[in-house]
Amino acid sequence: MRFFDVRSPIFIPLWRRVLVFGLVLAWALLELWRGAPGWALLFGVAALWIGWQFFFDFRLPEDDTDRDR
């Protein structure tokens, strides 16, 4: 299991993916507004990665039943 599994079944509904992306992006903007460019960069890059994974490269979670064979 990875640290942040974007292929988890919890992220299948679109509204959850939009919510997580929006929260991370909002946090990056908040850090930039508060004058912390390092944290803003960190959360900005995380928002870009999450956006890519959730909206451009999203695939449904793999079925684990074939893994046992």
Side-chain angles (χ1 to χ4, degrees), residues 34-56:
R34 300 274 313 219
W39 287 109
L41 181 64
L42 178 76
F43 282 98
V45 169
L48 288 174
W49 180 78
I50 289 170
W52 177 262
Q53 292 293 315
F54 279 169
F55 305 117
F56 295 104

Side-chain angles (χ1 to χ4, degrees), residues 2 5 8 10 12 16 18 24 32 35-36 39 41-42 44-45 47 49-51 53 55-56 61-62 64 67:
R2 295 184 303 189
D5 189 11
S8 174
I10 199 168
I12 291 175
R16 289 181 182 160
V18 170
V24 175
L32 187 61
W39 287 109
L41 181 64
L42 178 76
V45 169
W49 180 78
I50 289 170
Q53 292 293 315
F55 305 117
F56 295 104
E62 296 175 2
D64 291 338
R67 227 178 256 182

